[in-house]
Amino acid sequence: MPWFRVDDTLAFHAKTLAAGNAAMGLWVRAGAWSMQQLTDGFVPSHVARQMGTKGEANRLVQAGLWGELPSGYAFHQWDGRQPSADDVKRAAEAKGTAGAHGNHLRWHKRRGVIHPDCEWCKEGEAS
Ligand SMILES: [Zn+2]
């Protein structure tokens, strides 16, 4: 479960004040949605409209928080401020691998069991 990051200067940032609380509600919801869906900061128009009004989306564009694209919106400076979809996928893969290895150590190696479906048992890993 990746997190959508919010900078600690957001509360009183000029762009936040320009957009207003209603539009910022849309911004936060859309950010969480984009992170969940791994769209790298892209929010299709029809999705944005489910979370806020066209006027709120326009205020985000006018404040410089969103860029407007033909089919939706793009978060300003998503790259570098949010983990990319690739980063999230790699982290999940690494975590899954680490979990599987932990299970091998706990349930197989410490008990002296060799499980036919375990890749570490198959490799005869001693660690
Ligand atoms: Zn094993």
Side-chain angles (χ1 to χ4, degrees):
M1 180 188 73
W3 291 75
F4 171 63
R5 295 178 181 166
V6 175
D7 188 274
D8 64 357
T9 63
L10 180 83
F12 294 101
H13 195 284
K15 290 180 179 179
T16 301
L17 300 178
N21 281 350
M24 290 309 294
L26 170 59
W27 186 85
V28 170
R29 288 182 68 189
W33 179 88
S34 178
M35 192 57 80
Q36 179 194 45
Q37 300 297 317
L38 299 178
T39 65
D40 283 332
F42 174 70
V43 184
S45 300
H46 72 277
V47 174
R49 290 303 301 274
Q50 292 175 340
M51 294 183 278
T53 66
K54 176 69 176 159
E56 290 161 356
N58 288 343
R59 280 198 288 283
L60 293 174
V61 172
Q62 288 159 8
L65 289 163
W66 275 3
E68 194 161 12
L69 300 171
S71 59
Y73 304 92
F75 274 75
H76 180 64
Q77 294 183 332
W78 181 275
D79 296 345
R81 295 187 178 187
Q82 307 292 338
S84 71
D86 285 345
D87 291 341
V88 171
K89 288 172 188 167
R90 269 195 296 272
E93 199 175 294
K95 191 174 177 183
T97 301
H101 186 245
N103 286 338
H104 160 74
L105 294 176
R106 182 176 184 181
W107 300 108
H108 305 158
K109 185 172 182 279
R110 286 188 199 145
R111 296 174 178 207
V113 170
I114 295 175
H115 194 283
D117 296 333
C118 174
E119 63 180 286
W120 285 279
C121 284
K122 284 180 194 168
E123 292 173 6
E125 183 185 313
S127 60

